[in-house]
Amino acid sequence: MTSLTQLCTAARSWRSAVVRSGTVFLSDAGHGLLEVAHNSLALFGLLVVGAALFASSKPEVRHALETQTLSWLQARHDARLQAAADPNAEPDLGEPDAIQRATASDPRDLSRAQASVALWLSRRYHVAPEPVSRLVQEAWTVGALVDLDPTLILAVMAVESSFNPFAQSPVGAQGLMQVMTKVHDAKYEAFGGSHAAFDPVTNLRVGVQVLKECITRTGSVEAGLRSYVGAANSGDDGGYASKVLAQQGILRLVASGGTVRTTAAIAPAPKSRPAEPAVPAAAAEPAAAPADPAPAPDKIAFLH
């Protein structure tokens, strides 16, 4: 009987010891896991703060992160819309914000001189008056900033592209002002990249920068125009400078309230440019005005 009692007492003692040991082990393990988790979260927080500080000091990194985040959010949004859409419903192609991308102004919002020029150019080059009005307005604004006559800017556009914002020459001159995008790609960085060459307002602004640099470097408008077209070294611009200046004279007359016919024959392309479409001749002028010269040759890639 004494032996049985001792055995029971030993069993109870052993069980109590096991329970205490298990409790201590679990407690220590729990505290250890909690400490590890706490330290891990603290380390992760430090990494997040460090990454945020690094990104804030690097605009290009911050821009890339913002772009990726917005793209992911937009993709998620589009996926939710697609999942909720009725497969039998007609696709909705509407975009209410598209108006913000439009390059257009009401001619009635322009000054009298600007409106006269815009409407004359619209009739002469068979383009809508609203986008031309926006370009005329921009030419007046940018011209005042860089000290260039806005009619000169518009004359360059007329001769270079006939107001076709998607024009491209065989040597790579692009857009309204026929800027050599690959040569002046750095100038497009401020507008988001070289594809902005086909945004009419951006092409106008970059073209004005190039034109102003040419005029400043050569010392005169006529020499600057020859440099702009890539004939600074040869001196033979195929009549380009004369053509632009003649067109500028017409636009000045229109801006001052003069009457100028918009009908004129289309001048054939020069023999040196058989692959390029003919450029429309400038509008017919009054009897006392100079004759419209022939179109200019292609730009030389490394100059323009």
Side-chain angles (χ1 to χ4, degrees), residues 210-230:
V210 177
L211 179 60
K212 180 64 176 181
E213 290 172 0
C214 291
I215 294 174
T216 301
R217 184 172 59 250
T218 59
S220 71
V221 172
E222 187 171 354
L225 288 171
R226 286 197 295 269
S227 178
Y228 186 84
V229 80

Side-chain angles (χ1 to χ4, degrees), residues 159-160 167-171 173 178 268-270 272-279 295-299:
V159 173
E160 289 284 2
Q168 176 166 310
S169 78
V171 296
Q178 290 291 278
S272 60
R273 300 169 63 186
E276 187 175 2
V279 179
D298 283 331
K299 296 177 179 62

Side-chain angles (χ1 to χ4, degrees), residues 175-199:
L176 284 174
M177 301 271 296
Q178 290 291 278
V179 179
M180 292 295 294
T181 304
K182 292 182 179 179
V183 176
H184 299 288
D185 58 342
K187 288 183 171 63
Y188 284 109
E189 290 298 325
F191 301 96
S194 59
H195 283 173
F198 299 105
D199 169 57

Side-chain angles (χ1 to χ4, degrees), residues 13 52-53 59 65 74 84 151 174 212 241 252 274:
S13 299
L53 291 175
L65 289 174
Q74 185 63 43
T151 58
Q174 297 177 323
K212 180 64 176 181
R252 280 180 171 175

Side-chain angles (χ1 to χ4, degrees), residues 120 123-124 247 250 253-254 258-265 282-287:
W120 188 90
R123 293 191 298 268
R124 172 66 185 86
Q247 182 78 341
I250 294 173
L253 182 59
V254 172
T259 302
V260 182
R261 292 186 296 114
T262 59
T263 56
E285 305 170 57

